[in-house]
Amino acid sequence: MSGPLRPRGPLSAAVLGLVTAGPPGAGRLLAPPGPFDDPWGEDHQLALFLCYELHDRGLPGVHPGWEWEPELLTLRRALERPFLAAVRAAAEPVPPLPEALERLLLEPAGGTGPSHHLLAVGDRTQAREYLVHRSLYHLKEADPQLWLLPRIHGPAQAVLLAITFDEYGAGRPERAHALLFARMMAAFGLDPAYRHYLDLVPASSLAVVNLMTLFGLHRALRGAAVGQFAAIEITSSPGAARLAAALDRLGGGPDGTLFYREHVEADAVHEQLVRRGVIAELVSAEPETAQDVAFGIAAAEVVDGRFAEHLLGCWRSGRSSLRSPLPDLPDLPDPATLPGPAAARD
Ligand SMILES: [Fe+2]
Ligand SMILES: [Fe+2]
């Protein structure tokens, strides 16, 4: 599944064609790709994801100088604008911040999201698919939020740093959430290498990660970045409890449930910190960000809602939620071979 990156249409082909042809500055001109009229589509989301990876882990065989090459940044901007416009349109009407926060705190009775499905009727194949979708973010958990750190200041910055410190294991690298997720993938016979399953992951999952990076990379969107992060932290704990129970029922064992068990407690604390420490302090220092924070919360609901709809639509009709199904047999490795002392495991 890993291997050469494969385009999904003219936009992602244009990005790949440009950056894989050699180092920047060789005078190549990008034929104007397009159209940009399907921002939720496979091609558009992959093209944006590839642009963002140049700011993040880089792409195999691609010169790192492409990160700041104006020609590529122009294309990235052409991809970002219609995506952000589509998210804004779908997020309307954005409620005032207090109302947006209140809504987040209410767990709807009789919820129907993917964690409810996995807990009630999910099978092992669906659990493995869920981990593959989520791997694009959780294997780099909190990296997109770190873009935000130097863009806010004072108490809000200090508390955001405290939360993200936990995400990286709070001084214990073996407890970094990305590593716990990798152990969980291995326990389910999945390859935990970063981006290994990119080719299988559909646009609705890419959009969740792309939105985090989009918000994180733009200072003008720092309020929205806080809002999306808050939505994740505030809603995580009960969902994590359901996922831990679901994966336990499906044979996950200690390694196969540790990531979600960790989040039941960690995010119950982070929920308080993000509301009272990050949001309240940011809005008090910079009141003009309040409506952007509310927009970030609404935007998170939009992308998460699309992702959930995709998963449940596929699963309820007996289809794979990935672009092609996973091989039946577990392919990789024994969790014991992953880095981190065994003593770190529950
Ligand atoms: Fe986490
Ligand atoms: Fe957290």
Side-chain angles (χ1 to χ4, degrees):
M1 264 160 284
S2 59
L5 292 161
R6 281 192 280 179
R8 300 183 192 175
L11 300 174
S12 48
V15 173
L16 284 172
L18 192 63
V19 301
T20 56
R28 279 178 306 279
L29 282 176
L30 178 70
F36 296 91
D37 58 359
D38 183 16
W40 297 108
E42 295 292 339
D43 187 32
H44 196 111
Q45 289 297 322
L46 178 65
L48 195 50
F49 186 84
L50 294 172
C51 289
Y52 286 150
E53 283 297 282
L54 294 172
H55 294 284
D56 200 339
R57 305 277 176 112
L59 293 171
V62 171
H63 192 285
W66 278 109
E67 181 185 1
W68 295 108
E69 187 65 14
E71 197 178 358
L72 191 65
L73 292 177
T74 303
L75 175 53
R76 194 192 92 186
R77 202 68 194 113
L79 293 160
E80 284 178 329
R81 281 204 183 98
F83 177 42
L84 186 57
V87 173
R88 281 198 191 280
E92 288 296 335
V94 176
L97 181 56
E99 197 185 312
L101 282 168
E102 206 169 302
R103 288 213 311 228
L104 268 187
L105 288 167
L106 294 174
E107 264 267 305
T112 55
S115 63
H116 290 274
H117 174 97
L118 286 170
L119 181 59
V121 293
D123 60 28
R124 197 171 158 87
T125 303
Q126 293 167 347
R128 295 177 81 227
E129 288 189 3
Y130 186 80
L131 300 187
V132 166
H133 286 284
R134 291 301 199 194
S135 67
L136 287 184
Y137 172 60
H138 287 313
L139 290 176
K140 62 171 179 183
E141 187 165 301
D143 288 358
Q145 285 78 43
L146 287 192
W147 297 114
L148 176 61
L149 262 178
R151 303 181 191 281
I152 60 175
H153 300 98
Q157 184 186 44
V159 178
L160 178 64
L161 183 56
I163 298 172
T164 45
F165 182 63
D166 283 350
E167 308 289 349
Y168 293 92
R172 297 170 63 198
E174 74 279 4
R175 301 294 298 194
H177 293 180
L179 185 60
L180 302 184
F181 195 83
R183 304 193 75 87
M184 185 167 63
M185 290 183 77
F188 275 86
L190 295 164
D191 190 328
Y194 181 71
R195 229 165 35 203
H196 178 81
Y197 293 105
L198 174 59
D199 212 29
L200 297 187
V201 173
S204 57
S205 311
L206 294 178
V208 176
V209 192
N210 282 341
L211 190 68
M212 290 176 196
T213 315
L214 170 62
F215 286 165
L217 284 177
H218 290 268
R219 183 176 175 278
L221 294 169
R222 65 194 182 288
V226 166
Q228 188 184 21
F229 184 52
I232 295 170
E233 296 295 325
I234 292 172
T235 58
S236 160
S237 192
R242 280 189 294 274
L243 289 165
L247 297 181
D248 185 48
R249 178 175 70 75
L250 296 168
D255 271 316
T257 53
L258 178 54
F259 174 90
Y260 287 115
R261 282 187 286 124
E262 177 84 10
H263 281 81
V264 175
E265 259 178 55
D267 284 342
V269 178
H270 291 172
E271 177 215 317
Q272 299 290 323
L273 288 173
V274 83
R275 278 197 300 135
R276 294 183 186 159
V278 183
I279 294 181
E281 294 291 350
L282 176 69
V283 168
S284 128
E286 299 185 74
E288 70 279 10
T289 60
Q291 206 47 30
D292 285 341
V293 177
F295 164 61
I297 292 171
E301 275 168 32
V302 168
V303 291
D304 292 342
R306 290 179 66 92
F307 169 66
E309 208 175 295
H310 169 79
L311 280 188
L312 295 173
C314 292
W315 289 346
R316 284 175 185 152
S317 59
R319 284 179 288 127
S320 169
S321 63
L322 298 171
R323 297 181 71 237
S324 54
L326 285 166
D328 277 343
L329 287 174
D331 32 17
L332 269 181
D334 181 345
T337 63
L338 283 170
R345 288 181 273 144
D346 286 359

